Amino acid sequence: MLLILRSDVQGRATRWVAFTFAITGAVWLGLFAAVLTVANYIHVDVPSALAIKLPLLQSHPDLIFAGESRTEYQIDPELAAKLTGRKAGQAVNIAYDAGEPLAFLGAIRQQGESFADAHLVISVAPFLFNEGVRSAAVYPLNVVARLSVFEQLTSFLPFRIGTLIRFIRETFKARLAFEQGVAKGEVHSAAYGLSIIRTGEPRDRWPSNLGTHAHYANWDLSGPKAQYEIGALCEMARLVRKLTVVIPPWAPHYDRNSDELWRKKDDEYAAAMVNAGRRCGFDVLNIQGVSGLGDDNYADEMHVIASGIPIYTSYVVARLRP
Amino acid sequence: MLFSSYTFLFQFLPATVLAFAAARRHSPRAGILVLAAASLIFYGAWRPIYLLLLIASVAVNFSLALGMEDPLRRRAIGMFGVAFNLLLLCYFKYAGFFLDTISSVSGVPLPYTSLVLPLGISFFTFQQIAYLVDIMRGARVERDIVSYTLFVCFFPHLIAGPLVHHAEMIPQFKQAHTGRSGMLAARGLAIFAAGLFKKVIIADTLAQFASPIFAHVDEGGIVTTSWAWLATLAYTMQIYFDFSGYCDMAIGLALSFGIRLPVNFRSPYQALSIVEFWRCWHITLSRFLRDYLYIPLGGNRFGNRRRYSNLILTMLLGGLWHGAGWNFLIWGGLHGIYLSINHLWGSWRYEEKYRSRRNSRFGLIQTWLSWAVTFFAVATSWVFFRAQTLSGAWKMLTGLFGFGPEGTAYESQGILRLMDLPILVGSSWLLLIGSGMVAVAISVALFSPNVSQIFGYREYRRPADPDCFVQWRPNGAWAVFTALALSVSLLGMWQRLEFLYFQF
């Protein structure tokens, strides 16, 4: 009798634990959806990382470098100004890590007069268009914001929850920067926006090939990323004096001819840019290699260290059409 | 690995629970073997190199204890073991402090490389000292290395307590609790959820009203009275909900494996005297200090003067246990003085009456006054505990009373952080919201029953606390409460603030 009673209590307790876990899952999902709804509601397209660089526009530059890390760490705007006969401050670098075209379009809509007469040179990377890359660090947040809460949940849960968490956190930071007027505040960026990578990764930690690199994983250019980001480039072309889209090179370590997988995907992505450029009226500068830039100038498979900055900057500036 | 981290909750814990359940089907000993291995993995996940230190400490103490089975060598080996443990603790925790002090007094620069303090060293060292001392006093030597290792390293209490006693842990490892494991797991889950909520939602939210203000005074700034009170009271509540939340999580986790840890907090802020406060705050440390320091020093056996000096010395060392710094020493000294005054007052004015709180003769005004004086004394002493520098503590204290030196006054950016999500509200609104949150936290600490009362938690070989008006039951309503606490906490966990007691 005692054993029966005891097993009944045990069964009840076990059912209670299972029931509690089930409700926890449901309640958590509801709360998470509620937070996403708030994030979607307060979202602004200009993230805080870009907002803190926008005060650079107070010097009314007419050559603006934008885009992702390969402009942020590789283009020296002071040198670019010198090479093009401009005064210091007439060229600036407002690129930021994983910077996406939609964010710069947001900045242009906020401060249209600063961009209207400028030549905007924006770098892009495959992960900005490849729907197969869904990791938190690089998924374009403005694309997430354009999805409904249901789409967000079904696209990223459960294994890519980090992407949604980053979206929520960055959205609140962006809203804070917007309300504090950071974009029109004091200039905090040194060297007109250039950042420098001080130390590189050892060569043996670079990926062995690019065909299977994370930026080209699960290759798919038909998703919302490509749709919205290419749309943003087209919209941008109408709002600035001139738009040049730059496809920066990978380290010379990698040989296109011996990596067919990479070549095929990369050509497809470059073609998508060129087609969009033809359709919307912007130049595309597809840089597959820079003479004088060797593996020793690279910190990793895609970013240069300080010694590579002048070489890369000179190369890009020399190929910009007025 | 934090209890309030996704890695712990979704990887380490489920894997350990499943491995434990599978091993337990085989035998209880296999179960404790799994728990011991999991505990070492848990510790090694932080800095693998310090796992060697932990293992070495366990191995040395276990071997010394075995050597103490010989009555002729017991005392000598025991003294050596205590000295070994104290030296280990001093080397990692206090060497820098002593050398700094000598260097600043003598003006001679002394070479010293700052070491990373191994997590939980104060806890696992003290537990092993207590074990050796008890063997010297005649306690039984544990001959099973797995049980001993688990007693020292059991992951729920390893990093920040409660400080456990071998006599309340090792016997549990040798018993089979499978008969009631479902019920214990359910209760453990509910207690864990309560602790997680206290830490992630209450303590971590309050941190934003304390940390920047204390940082400001530590950097030489000053604070206005309102911000000083907000910071002091926010920290007073933060440390309570942080540490008691951690202990609740530890108790809940241990209970899921059928093991009962001692209770560390029993509503300390409801205390009507400092003596009562120390019976309810960090109970296991108070117990250790009483049994292994205060009583061996003579306790109250040699007259009042000796009693008060013993109290002050015990509390000074208790302060120093928390960290190597003058601020901790002052905090401990203050509490030693408080306790002495409390005992003096008790023997002079009320004799033993003050011990029986809510005595019918203890009128409402007196009760309220006693609580206010106690709370005020405790809260202001936290200033020394929290500030990183003596001048910072002094500036905070002068700020509390509206006078003080010149300096740059604290200016808030007016950003409220809810689950670490920033919201611009403005400085005056932030002060108001902060005050409201602190008031809610104080109300919870003062008027709600504590976790062991709500969940009917019973310590090992001790009766459960008396029932209170809220009682946990494995029913639908409590499932919803628990689920709410868990899910809100899971959302808030992305801010990843460490437990305050990790630094000790």
Side-chain angles (χ1 to χ4, degrees):
Chain A
M1 184 64 185
L2 191 66
L3 278 174
I4 293 169
L5 279 175
R6 194 174 267 185
S7 70
D8 186 48
V9 170
Q10 290 312 309
R12 212 174 111 206
T14 310
R15 282 195 299 279
W16 185 86
V17 171
F19 182 55
T20 304
F21 279 135
I23 311 176
T24 302
V27 173
W28 179 88
L29 199 63
L31 287 173
F32 195 63
V35 177
L36 278 173
T37 307
V38 173
N40 284 341
Y41 180 73
I42 64 165
H43 180 81
V44 286
D45 278 347
V46 180
S48 61
L50 173 58
I52 57 172
K53 290 191 118 180
L54 290 181
L56 288 169
L57 301 177
Q58 288 166 7
S59 61
H60 304 293
D62 61 354
L63 180 58
I64 301 172
F65 293 96
E68 34 75 79
S69 55
R70 286 180 294 176
T71 293
E72 182 186 8
Y73 300 112
Q74 300 187 171
I75 291 284
D76 179 356
E78 204 169 356
L79 175 63
K82 195 185 283 179
L83 291 172
T84 54
R86 290 176 167 86
K87 289 183 198 161
Q90 291 296 99
V92 296
N93 181 342
I94 59 169
Y96 66 97
D97 263 336
E100 54 172 318
L102 274 170
F104 294 101
L105 178 61
I108 292 170
R109 285 186 175 140
Q110 269 184 18
Q111 303 194 24
E113 72 287 357
S114 301
F115 289 91
D117 296 323
H119 182 175
L120 182 66
V121 182
I122 183 169
S123 67
V124 290
F127 68 82
L128 290 170
F129 306 95
N130 175 16
E131 200 58 40
V133 183
R134 307 177 80 76
S135 63
V138 294
Y139 198 96
L141 299 178
N142 288 315
V143 175
V144 181
R146 279 155 178 77
L147 305 176
S148 67
V149 171
F150 181 75
E151 286 171 326
Q152 289 170 344
L153 292 174
T154 51
S155 303
F156 297 103
L157 290 187
F159 299 114
R160 290 295 177 194
I161 185 178
T163 304
L164 293 181
I165 290 177
R166 177 168 171 259
F167 166 68
I168 293 167
R169 295 179 67 107
E170 290 298 325
T171 293
F172 274 82
K173 276 171 74 179
R175 167 58 65 168
L176 179 67
F178 176 74
E179 289 180 353
Q180 287 179 317
V182 169
K184 295 195 172 171
E186 286 177 37
V187 177
H188 291 293
S189 309
Y192 301 102
L194 170 70
S195 306
I196 294 172
I197 297 176
R198 300 283 170 196
T199 53
E201 278 187 359
R203 199 75 53 86
D204 58 0
R205 292 184 64 186
W206 292 16
S208 57
N209 66 74
L210 294 180
T212 56
H213 190 277
H215 286 192
Y216 296 96
N218 309 310
W219 190 246
D220 174 14
L221 291 183
S222 63
K225 273 188 187 178
Q227 178 199 337
Y228 286 118
E229 298 296 1
I230 291 176
L233 289 174
C234 286
E235 178 75 11
M236 236 182 258
R238 290 195 307 107
L239 300 171
V240 297
R241 179 172 61 77
K242 182 168 178 60
L243 176 68
T244 301
V245 174
V246 177
I247 301 176
W250 295 81
H253 179 76
Y254 301 100
D255 178 19
R256 289 175 66 85
N257 297 324
S258 61
D259 192 343
E260 194 183 340
L261 197 59
W262 170 39
R263 196 175 63 235
K264 198 175 151 207
K265 291 172 180 174
D266 200 56
D267 286 348
E268 195 182 331
Y269 145 70
M273 292 300 111
V274 171
N275 286 340
R278 268 197 217 114
R279 201 172 66 244
C280 304
F282 58 79
D283 289 349
V284 176
L285 188 55
N286 185 6
I287 307 171
Q288 294 188 345
V290 176
S291 55
L293 207 55
D295 283 339
D296 291 343
N297 300 116
Y298 272 80
D300 53 32
E301 76 275 20
M302 58 192 302
H303 299 105
V304 302
I305 53 174
S307 63
I309 294 173
I311 304 169
Y312 181 75
T313 304
S314 308
Y315 184 91
V316 171
V317 168
R319 277 150 190 83
L320 291 178
R321 289 195 302 178
Chain B
M1 210 184 311
L2 296 174
F3 290 168
S4 54
S5 69
Y6 296 112
T7 313
F8 178 83
L9 287 182
F10 295 115
Q11 292 173 18
F12 178 82
L13 188 58
T16 306
V17 167
L18 289 176
F20 174 74
R24 204 52 197 264
R25 282 176 178 274
H26 184 262
S27 69
R29 184 170 167 76
I32 65 164
L33 202 62
V34 165
L35 286 184
S39 300
L40 294 178
I41 292 169
F42 175 82
Y43 194 79
W46 169 63
R47 271 173 202 259
I49 188 72
Y50 281 131
L51 178 61
L52 296 178
L53 176 79
L54 176 66
I55 291 172
S57 167
V58 168
V60 168
N61 281 288
F62 181 74
S63 309
L64 289 173
L66 287 181
M68 290 168 74
E69 282 186 314
D70 177 358
L72 293 175
R73 296 191 301 163
R74 182 175 296 162
R75 191 165 175 78
I77 296 177
M79 296 301 285
F80 171 79
V82 171
F84 164 78
N85 282 297
L86 289 176
L87 272 176
L88 191 73
L89 191 63
C90 284
Y91 176 70
F92 281 102
K93 197 162 177 173
Y94 303 110
F97 171 62
F98 288 132
L99 288 176
D100 271 356
T101 306
I102 294 167
S103 184
S104 57
V105 169
S106 65
V108 180
L110 294 171
Y112 177 71
T113 312
S114 175
L115 292 168
V116 176
L117 185 68
L119 273 179
I121 189 169
S122 308
F123 290 91
F124 67 72
T125 306
F126 267 34
Q127 283 163 192
Q128 296 189 98
I129 288 175
Y131 175 65
L132 295 178
V133 170
D134 283 351
I135 293 175
M136 280 197 278
R137 290 171 178 172
R140 203 174 70 83
V141 174
E142 177 55 47
R143 300 184 65 87
D144 175 15
I145 180 78
V146 180
S147 295
Y148 181 78
T149 305
L150 189 56
F151 147 61
V152 179
C153 306
F154 187 34
F155 71 87
H157 71 70
L158 175 60
I159 307 294
L163 267 167
V164 294
H165 194 271
H166 57 94
E168 67 194 354
M169 294 300 287
I170 293 176
Q172 295 192 66
F173 302 148
K174 298 181 176 176
Q175 295 168 356
H177 279 293
T178 45
R180 298 195 60 206
S181 59
M183 198 62 182
L184 291 181
R187 202 182 295 266
L189 171 67
I191 294 176
F192 181 84
L196 188 66
F197 185 86
K198 282 163 82 173
K199 157 69 183 162
V200 175
I201 302 302
I202 304 181
D204 290 355
T205 303
L206 290 174
Q208 66 185 304
F209 303 111
S211 303
I213 302 166
F214 274 100
H216 181 75
V217 292
D218 281 330
E219 285 163 10
I222 58 166
V223 276
T224 56
T225 306
S226 48
W227 283 108
W229 276 108
L230 177 63
T232 303
L233 292 176
Y235 184 70
T236 301
M237 290 298 130
Q238 184 202 349
I239 192 166
Y240 169 60
F241 284 105
D242 188 286
F243 193 23
S244 72
Y246 176 88
C247 291
D248 294 340
M249 289 160 81
I251 286 171
L253 285 170
L255 205 56
S256 309
F257 299 105
I259 293 164
R260 294 178 183 276
L261 294 182
V263 171
N264 224 8
F265 291 88
R266 291 185 199 276
S267 309
Y269 289 143
Q270 294 176 15
L272 300 183
S273 68
I274 291 290
V275 172
E276 192 185 337
F277 172 79
W278 277 104
R279 284 185 188 137
C280 304
W281 178 275
H282 204 169
I283 296 166
T284 56
L285 177 66
S286 307
R287 183 179 68 176
F288 180 93
L289 292 174
R290 182 196 64 204
D291 293 347
Y292 299 98
L293 200 56
Y294 176 67
I295 291 175
L297 281 170
N300 57 5
R301 296 193 301 274
F302 303 105
N304 276 345
R305 191 174 295 178
R306 179 73 181 272
R307 176 193 201 179
Y308 301 141
S309 62
N310 286 342
L311 268 176
I312 291 172
L313 184 61
T314 302
M315 294 310 290
L316 279 171
L317 291 172
L320 209 55
W321 176 86
H322 285 87
W326 290 103
N327 279 18
F328 290 116
L329 212 58
I330 292 173
W331 174 80
L334 268 177
H335 274 277
I337 293 167
Y338 290 165
L339 282 169
S340 303
I341 292 172
N342 195 166
H343 281 292
L344 196 66
W345 173 263
S347 56
W348 175 67
R349 178 71 178 82
Y350 291 106
E351 296 177 349
E352 292 302 307
K353 277 188 218 164
Y354 76 96
R355 290 178 193 275
S356 53
R357 55 187 290 202
R358 295 182 182 86
N359 186 322
S360 57
R361 285 170 291 180
F362 211 72
L364 195 66
I365 294 175
Q366 278 173 308
T367 305
W368 188 88
L369 261 177
S370 303
W371 172 81
V373 169
T374 306
F375 186 77
F376 176 81
V378 171
T380 47
S381 71
W382 286 129
V383 169
F384 286 99
F385 195 87
R386 174 62 182 81
Q388 304 280 323
T389 61
L390 266 179
S391 74
W394 176 245
K395 282 180 175 162
M396 185 60 83
L397 281 177
T398 55
L400 285 174
F401 301 105
F403 60 88
E406 294 287 310
T408 316
Y410 174 74
E411 277 184 37
S412 164
Q413 288 187 304
I415 300 167
L416 175 69
R417 289 185 179 275
L418 287 179
M419 295 195 298
D420 207 32
L421 300 175
I423 301 165
L424 189 65
V425 293
S427 181
S428 47
W429 272 103
L430 188 70
L431 186 64
L432 203 64
I433 293 167
S435 306
M437 286 183 172
V438 167
V440 170
I442 291 177
S443 305
V444 171
L446 286 187
F447 302 115
S448 68
N450 56 51
V451 161
S452 56
Q453 291 170 325
I454 294 173
F455 295 96
Y457 179 70
R458 186 173 61 75
E459 291 175 297
Y460 180 62
R461 285 187 180 162
R462 292 211 179 134
D465 284 359
D467 283 358
C468 66
F469 63 94
V470 194
Q471 274 292 303
W472 176 82
R473 295 276 182 273
N475 58 23
W478 275 103
V480 171
F481 275 132
T482 308
L484 269 174
L486 274 178
S487 40
V488 173
S489 308
L490 285 174
L491 273 186
M493 267 166 47
W494 59 45
Q495 57 187 324
R496 298 179 62 81
L497 287 185
E498 278 200 350
F499 290 94
L500 294 178
Y501 260 67
F502 273 23
Q503 60 190 296
F504 309 133

